[in-house]
Amino acid sequence: MPSHLSADRPAGQPPGRGSVDALISQTRRLKGDVDAVRRDAAGEGSDHPRERWQRALCDLALHQLNDLDEHLAQLRDGPLPTATPEPPAPSQGSLLSRVGSAEWNLLTDEASWSGELFQILGRDPAAPPLTLDELPSLVVDEDRPKLTAMVTNCLVDARPIDGEFRIARRGGDVRTVHMMGEPVLDTDGSTASMWAVLRDVSELRRSQRAVSETRDSLHHRQEAARSEHRLAVELQEAVLPPWRGSLRLPHRGPRTLDLASRHLPASTQTLIGGDWYDALELTDGETLLSVGDLTGQGVGVTSNMTMLLGAVRGMAMAGAQPGPLMAWLNQLLDATVQPALGSAVCCRYRPATRTLMWAQAGHPAPLLFRDGTGRALNAPDGVLLGATSGAVYGQAEETLEVGDLLLLHTDGLVPGHTGSAAANLLLGLAPRLAGNRTAEDCVRTVVQEFGESEREDNACVLVAKVMS
């Protein structure tokens, strides 16, 4: 806005009608493009804070383009005369009314308002316009000092006005008005009058607050997700055996199994899932090995994992073999709302005969590596339905040899592959695993091959090497 205007400054020439019409056409084309984006966002039907924020931004942009369209039309058509009894109202959904203008002559104490300004300020067009001294009577008490300061700075120091204040209209309606103005100087540099343009920005500010609130909601939700993720990690580290290094069991005699394991978290900020591994030396000298996953994610699943591991360990300590253990675990989980078992494999190793007994529930079979080759263990018979006891899980046995390597894993270990495809890629590591001396070396080989790439899911791997 130019400042320090002279009283004899010639009136600016109105812009060419053709150039304004071209701007109006460009604005309307842009409105159509933004409206298409808005429909796409609304069509997703999501109430996620990010989608709400996107829709609010699109709404704000559309409102502002609608107002730009109306203001350009006003620029083309010129201001309404003061005597107009009912200036046209803004279109439905508009954030701004038509811009009103005013000039206050300080020498004659006369005021001149456009027809739009009467509507903006809620004044009767038949009433005389308010003088500068009377204008604060429309302003709410808290904002009067702000208006007084702006007007004083303009008249005394020739500073342009650019600020907002609230007005109280008839019926108690409070509106926010944005005012821009300048002094008009006479030939000796004194302020002769002041002119201003005013617009109602109440709806604009409400729409901007909606954008800010949805953005804050999204930010708070992201912060809450990060906090829950950190808590879930801490809980899982407290519940499960150490994520790195060999699993140390309190062996009573010579070590028969060399164990190592690893948890591989998702590369995104997705909440920790319910993948687990476990190894436990039992009172009869046998060893329990298990891996699996619970459905869902987050702190609740981690706490449920504590219950599940406790149940598996308790039943194994009581002598339950893998098949019956899986059946009882299934009955236990069916009787509760949470947790829900996604899949699991449970093994019991008897070192005296090097016998591995195992059962599975929708889980990848253990992989056995021997003499530089590997294979998936033959699955036990499928789930049988008992007449009174519900599901009965089959159980398989495998005799192992010294130097054999047993690999248990959850289904997300190989990114982008599941089932037999993932198993084939893991079996392809057989020549490299044959050269590894310890179980920890084997886990490191698997992680180097599959664990360091981007992964969408959490995964666990447990390796047991037969030592004697």
Side-chain angles (χ1 to χ4, degrees):
M1 179 186 299
S3 59
H4 301 281
L5 299 178
S6 171
D8 57 359
R9 175 181 180 272
Q13 295 299 315
R17 188 180 184 90
S19 60
V20 177
D21 283 337
L23 287 174
I24 292 174
S25 298
Q26 292 176 18
T27 301
R28 291 175 180 174
R29 285 196 298 271
L30 185 56
K31 282 167 54 180
D33 294 339
V34 175
D35 187 50
V37 174
R38 172 66 176 85
R39 288 196 302 271
D40 289 342
E44 296 175 3
S46 171
D47 198 39
H48 188 278
R50 179 176 294 277
E51 276 68 42
R52 292 201 302 269
W53 174 67
Q54 290 172 341
R55 290 194 295 269
L57 278 177
C58 288
D59 287 339
L60 177 59
L62 275 176
H63 286 319
Q64 291 176 322
L65 287 171
N66 285 332
D67 294 322
L68 177 61
D69 189 2
E70 292 187 16
H71 291 163
L72 288 173
Q74 185 179 359
L75 178 64
R76 178 191 60 194
D77 301 335
L80 294 172
T82 303
T84 302
E86 292 185 3
S91 61
Q92 185 177 7
S94 176
L95 298 180
L96 306 174
S97 64
R98 287 171 63 92
V99 174
S101 61
E103 184 168 359
W104 290 274
N105 191 310
L106 303 182
L107 302 179
T108 63
D109 202 28
E110 293 179 342
S112 175
W113 287 9
S114 69
E116 294 89 355
L117 187 54
F118 282 92
Q119 182 190 33
I120 292 171
L121 300 182
R123 300 288 293 176
D124 183 355
L130 299 180
T131 65
L132 278 178
D133 292 334
E134 296 170 330
L135 186 61
S137 65
L138 299 179
V139 181
V140 298
D141 294 342
E142 296 87 347
D143 291 355
R144 285 179 185 173
K146 184 190 303 184
L147 175 62
T148 300
M150 289 191 298
V151 172
T152 301
N153 290 336
C154 180
L155 298 180
V156 176
D157 299 326
R159 296 181 188 175
I161 291 177
D162 188 353
E164 294 181 5
F165 51 88
R166 291 166 297 165
I167 62 168
R169 302 202 303 189
R170 291 187 181 92
D173 183 23
V174 176
R175 309 293 293 179
T176 301
V177 174
H178 182 246
M179 180 178 183
M180 300 179 68
E182 286 188 345
V184 178
L185 307 181
D186 59 17
T187 54
D188 63 2
S190 301
T191 302
S193 63
M194 188 188 87
W195 66 269
V197 292
L198 296 92
R199 57 177 182 163
D200 186 341
V201 294
S202 305
E203 301 304 324
L204 174 62
R205 296 297 172 252
R206 273 197 281 269
S207 186
Q208 289 172 334
R209 283 196 298 272
V211 171
S212 177
E213 289 167 0
T214 54
R215 182 190 60 230
D216 291 344
S217 174
L218 174 61
H219 174 72
H220 292 156
R221 180 163 177 164
Q222 290 172 335
E223 284 298 314
R226 282 191 285 267
S227 297
E228 188 174 359
H229 180 270
R230 288 192 296 269
L231 179 57
V233 171
E234 293 170 0
L235 285 174
Q236 230 179 22
E237 288 175 347
V239 170
L240 296 181
W243 287 135
R244 300 178 183 275
S246 296
L247 291 168
R248 301 296 182 185
L249 299 179
H251 299 285
R252 297 176 177 82
R255 187 169 61 163
T256 59
L257 290 178
D258 179 25
L259 301 173
S261 58
R262 191 72 56 86
H263 171 263
L264 303 173
S267 56
T268 64
Q269 286 295 320
T270 303
L271 294 178
I272 278 288
D275 292 36
W276 90 85
Y277 62 79
D278 193 24
L280 176 68
E281 190 174 72
L282 305 174
T283 55
D284 57 5
E286 298 181 1
T287 301
L288 170 72
L289 305 174
S290 66
V291 297
D293 66 271
L294 300 178
T295 59
Q297 55 189 6
V299 176
V301 171
T302 304
S303 60
N304 289 330
M305 194 187 305
T306 308
M307 183 193 79
L308 181 140
L309 287 178
V312 171
R313 287 182 167 196
M315 288 186 284
M317 292 291 287
Q321 297 299 302
L325 188 152
M326 296 298 295
W328 295 338
L329 182 63
N330 182 66
Q331 291 180 359
L332 173 66
L333 297 181
D334 280 349
T336 61
V337 177
Q338 291 291 341
L341 183 64
S343 64
V345 61
C346 179
C347 305
R348 192 174 178 116
Y349 178 66
R350 182 177 301 150
T353 58
R354 299 196 193 97
T355 302
L356 181 78
M357 297 155 286
W358 67 283
Q360 64 184 152
H363 199 84
L367 303 181
L368 176 62
F369 296 86
R370 177 183 296 168
D371 299 329
T373 62
R375 64 180 176 88
L377 298 186
N378 294 326
D381 294 335
V383 176
L384 304 177
L385 298 179
T388 59
S389 59
V392 177
Y393 286 84
Q395 179 174 298
E397 291 190 5
E398 188 78 24
T399 301
L400 304 182
E401 299 178 2
V402 174
D404 281 356
L405 189 73
L406 191 69
L407 188 151
L408 311 180
H409 67 95
T410 56
D411 214 12
L413 179 60
V414 182
H417 297 83
T418 58
S420 60
N424 289 335
L425 290 172
L426 288 166
L427 292 172
L429 296 178
R432 293 170 58 185
L433 296 177
N436 294 147
R437 185 176 59 87
T438 66
E440 180 61 26
D441 292 335
C442 295
V443 168
R444 189 177 297 111
T445 297
V446 173
V447 171
Q448 289 173 347
E449 183 68 24
F450 301 115
E452 296 177 344
S453 60
E454 294 289 322
R455 60 175 55 252
E456 295 182 359
D457 300 317
N458 302 278
C460 288
V461 57
L462 187 153
V463 170
K465 188 170 186 178
V466 180
M467 303 297 294
S468 62

